[in-house]
Amino acid sequence: MSLESVPPKYAQLVQALQRRIEAGTYPPGSMLPSEHQLIQEFGVSRPTVVAALRVLREQGWIESQQGKGRFVRGRPAMATVESNRTGQAYLTNPETDSPGELVEAGAVALPNRVAALLDAQPKSKAFLRRRLITREGEPSELVSLWLPLELSEGTDLTSGEALRQGIRQHLQSRKGVRFDHIVEQITARMPTVQEVRQLGMPKNVPLLAIFGAARDASGRPLAVVEVLLPADRHELEDAYPVR
Amino acid sequence: MSLESVPPKYAQLVQALQRRIEAGTYPPGSMLPSEHQLIQEFGVSRPTVVAALRVLREQGWIESQQGKGRFVRGRPAMATVESNRTGQAYLTNPETDSPGELVEAGAVALPNRVAALLDAQPKSKAFLRRRLITREGEPSELVSLWLPLELSEGTDLTSGEALRQGIRQHLQSRKGVRFDHIVEQITARMPTVQEVRQLGMPKNVPLLAIFGAARDASGRPLAVVEVLLPADRHELEDAYPVR
DNA sequence: TCTCAAACTTGGTAAAACAACCTGTCGGGT
DNA sequence: ACCCGACAGGTTGTTTTACCAAGTTTGAGA
């Protein structure tokens, strides 16, 4: 059984054209080959070509003029920066993407701030899963996930192994809850002695602390992730259009 | 010649479905009629229905699950909510909105980091305008704006008075440049002694530093704003939908 | 030189088929 | 009686073929 999922043809075409634009084969301002030419070259049908070109237009790589042709704009400036929604990244990407070790997993009393984000009583219990991420062999980030106890039951989150599925997908398939939006808070503070030890960082360097609270469509909190980044080794970057 | 251009069918279908969602005919969480049902009701072909539903999904009105159906999310709320984009706020809002005093205005040598964001040589000169914002009578934030010298000429930025116009509007009307997008970087560091004095903050509390680089559509840097926030009095908050 | 039709371009609609995925039902087995 | 697997029938996702409409450019002919 070959389970290597091949990307759809239109997506392959998108990538091929992006590569040519970046390589300078289609320089900015020049006209892209016509639909008919692309059909000939790639051996696909017109709707497939049109679907690929629509994606490129919506992403800002090209623009089109009816009756004239499609013109290269170049790599969209916004796309060079992968919008670094930190909370989303840690709630969505599989843990196997980032090497690290599990340092804690079990029911604990909630810190005040996390309790407020979960709409729970301070000091009440919830499930905590904490991982120390390593990059290039060095401790890099401390990631903590808090879940209401009823959401942690029947999941693989208690396991010591890295999840091969994103937390979002795991909770959706096992518990049927759907993340709708994330509220993110960013603060800075000095590290505790324990954090200095775990992260192997100087004790006079501040920590960037990102709290991401995932909620469902009705606004009910589902999970909170805290990401601790030593400020001498990390910073956050985001890009957005002005309105 | 009656050339009242009628919108394409798929666009009409988009509007019809949006109206029904807003009217509550399709409440959030409910399942949308299947493609087949929509084909029957509106008397159009499947590609037309699919095109309309694709637009709705990309705009965040609905989400789709292969094998199950399409589900209503409601009017995309996050798109209308002005999220607290710090850099955008300081580059767009009039200075008169926030009381404060001008602490510096003139040509200075660029710090390395700002020079990199402006694509300029380190140590080269640029115009700096720095204001200390006060809230409830207390020093609160230190906001610095760097501009290439050619962009500062002929503007009111050298004036000691608070601008009644946002920096973005001012530069657009005086110099004809348009902000297209902003790249934002967030770091944390310990304050300098001068910053401790100016902000009236404890010297063992870290600073949240936000750098916002405004660029035009081609990616050329136009201006950089740095916002320094004592971490014991400020934090950043943002909200966004999960993709 | 001017006019206009032909030949290109992209945009939109229709009809059909297959693939991938989800969910329930109906069995047979334990 | 209970559990579990196979299967049927639903859904969306992708691809193909076909045709017409609308905008632009070009060149042939008057």
Side-chain angles (χ1 to χ4, degrees), chain B:
Chain B
M1 301 260 253
S2 78
L3 281 185
E4 318 129 32
S5 63
V6 293
K9 285 187 185 177
Y10 77 93
Q12 298 179 33
L13 188 49
V14 166
Q15 290 201 324
L17 295 176
Q18 285 174 339
R19 277 194 297 270
R20 291 190 185 180
I21 291 175
E22 290 195 325
T25 313
Y26 302 146
S30 69
M31 201 169 81
L32 224 56
S34 72
E35 296 178 0
H36 182 66
Q37 288 173 299
L38 293 174
I39 291 169
Q40 298 284 324
E41 177 180 353
F42 289 91
V44 295
S45 73
R46 183 159 180 251
T48 303
V49 169
V50 170
L53 293 172
R54 177 177 48 74
V55 171
L56 288 175
R57 186 183 52 185
E58 285 169 355
Q59 292 185 353
W61 290 75
I62 64 175
E63 56 191 285
S64 58
Q65 292 182 48
Q66 191 174 17
K68 292 188 68 175
R70 295 186 161 91
F71 298 88
V72 180
R73 291 186 53 167
R75 184 195 197 93
M78 307 312 284
T80 61
V81 171
E82 69 281 13
S83 57
N84 267 343
R85 257 60 196 272
T86 313
Q88 171 153 283
Y90 286 98
L91 286 167
T92 301
N93 296 343
E95 288 183 352
T96 48
D97 283 3
S98 46
E101 59 172 313
L102 194 68
V103 295
E104 202 169 346
V108 299
L110 283 176
N112 283 342
R113 181 182 194 113
V114 179
L117 287 171
L118 281 176
D119 275 353
Q121 292 300 320
K123 310 271 170 63
S124 65
K125 290 229 166 185
F127 181 79
L128 166 64
R129 178 182 176 88
R130 179 169 286 163
R131 288 195 352 128
L132 179 64
I133 311 289
T134 56
R135 300 196 188 273
E136 299 166 6
E138 300 281 319
S140 170
E141 310 132 56
L142 201 54
V143 180
S144 308
L145 172 76
W146 281 274
L147 276 183
L149 289 177
E150 62 270 20
L151 273 187
S152 65
E153 292 163 3
T155 66
D156 295 342
L157 266 43
T158 53
S159 132
E161 307 208 343
L163 291 184
R164 304 181 53 185
Q165 206 179 17
I167 289 170
R168 172 186 156 207
Q169 283 80 13
H170 194 72
L171 284 179
Q172 182 175 338
S173 60
R174 294 292 179 90
K175 309 293 287 187
V177 296
R178 282 190 72 86
F179 290 1
D180 179 78
H181 60 280
I182 296 174
V183 177
E184 208 171 277
Q185 296 173 338
I186 302 176
T187 68
R189 61 172 172 83
M190 301 312 290
T192 66
V193 287
Q194 186 184 16
E195 287 160 350
V196 166
R197 193 167 59 244
Q198 286 180 314
L199 286 163
M201 62 183 287
K203 69 175 190 296
N204 58 340
V205 163
L207 276 178
L208 266 176
I210 299 105
F211 290 89
R215 302 182 177 177
D216 66 12
S218 71
R220 189 170 66 103
L222 298 173
V224 168
V225 62
E226 177 202 44
V227 183
L228 296 179
L229 306 171
D232 58 345
R233 276 175 283 173
H234 294 89
E235 63 185 47
L236 305 173
E237 183 167 293
D238 192 11
Y240 49 87
V242 304
R243 286 190 279 279

Side-chain angles (χ1 to χ4, degrees), chain A residues 110-227:
Chain A
L110 282 176
N112 284 340
R113 181 183 193 111
V114 178
L117 286 171
L118 281 175
D119 276 355
Q121 294 299 319
K123 311 272 171 64
S124 63
K125 290 229 165 184
F127 182 79
L128 165 64
R129 179 183 176 87
R130 179 168 287 162
R131 289 196 352 127
L132 179 64
I133 312 287
T134 55
R135 299 195 189 275
E136 298 165 8
E138 299 282 319
S140 172
E141 312 134 53
L142 201 52
V143 181
S144 309
L145 173 76
W146 281 273
L147 275 183
L149 289 177
E150 63 269 22
L151 274 188
S152 65
E153 293 163 2
T155 66
D156 293 341
L157 266 46
T158 53
S159 132
E161 306 209 344
L163 292 184
R164 304 183 56 183
Q165 204 179 17
I167 289 171
R168 171 184 157 211
Q169 282 80 11
H170 194 72
L171 285 178
Q172 182 177 336
S173 61
R174 293 293 179 92
K175 312 291 289 187
V177 296
R178 284 190 71 83
F179 291 181
D180 180 80
H181 60 280
I182 295 174
V183 177
E184 208 170 278
Q185 296 173 339
I186 302 176
T187 68
R189 60 171 173 82
M190 301 312 290
T192 66
V193 286
Q194 188 185 13
E195 287 160 350
V196 165
R197 193 168 57 243
Q198 287 180 313
L199 286 163
M201 61 183 288
K203 69 175 191 295
N204 58 339
V205 163
L207 277 178
L208 267 176
I210 298 106
F211 290 89
R215 303 181 177 178
D216 65 11
S218 70
R220 188 169 66 102
L222 299 174
V224 168
V225 62
E226 178 202 42
V227 183

Side-chain angles (χ1 to χ4, degrees), chain A residues 5-172:
Chain A
S5 61
V6 294
K9 285 187 184 178
Y10 76 93
Q12 298 180 33
L13 188 48
V14 166
Q15 289 201 324
L17 295 175
Q18 285 174 339
R19 277 195 295 270
R20 290 190 184 179
I21 292 175
E22 290 193 328
T25 313
Y26 303 146
S30 69
M31 200 168 83
L32 225 55
S34 74
E35 295 178 359
H36 183 65
Q37 289 173 298
L38 292 174
I39 291 169
Q40 298 284 324
E41 177 180 352
F42 289 91
V44 296
S45 72
R46 182 164 176 260
T48 302
V49 169
V50 170
L53 294 172
R54 176 176 49 74
V55 171
L56 288 174
R57 186 183 52 185
E58 286 169 353
Q59 292 184 354
W61 290 74
I62 63 175
E63 54 190 293
S64 60
Q65 292 181 45
Q66 193 175 17
K68 293 188 70 174
R70 294 186 162 93
F71 300 87
V72 179
R73 290 185 52 174
R75 185 195 191 104
M78 300 281 309
T80 64
V81 184
E82 66 277 20
S83 188
N84 225 350
R85 260 54 200 276
T86 313
Q88 171 153 286
Y90 285 99
L91 286 167
T92 300
N93 295 344
E95 288 182 352
T96 46
D97 283 3
S98 45
E101 58 171 317
L102 193 68
V103 294
E104 203 170 346
V108 298
L110 282 176
N112 284 340
R113 181 183 193 111
V114 178
L117 286 171
L118 281 175
D119 276 355
Q121 294 299 319
K123 311 272 171 64
S124 63
K125 290 229 165 184
F127 182 79
L128 165 64
R129 179 183 176 87
R130 179 168 287 162
R131 289 196 352 127
L132 179 64
I133 312 287
T134 55
R135 299 195 189 275
E136 298 165 8
E138 299 282 319
S140 172
E141 312 134 53
L142 201 52
V143 181
S144 309
L145 173 76
W146 281 273
L147 275 183
L149 289 177
E150 63 269 22
L151 274 188
S152 65
E153 293 163 2
T155 66
D156 293 341
L157 266 46
T158 53
S159 132
E161 306 209 344
L163 292 184
R164 304 183 56 183
Q165 204 179 17
I167 289 171
R168 171 184 157 211
Q169 282 80 11
H170 194 72
L171 285 178
Q172 182 177 336

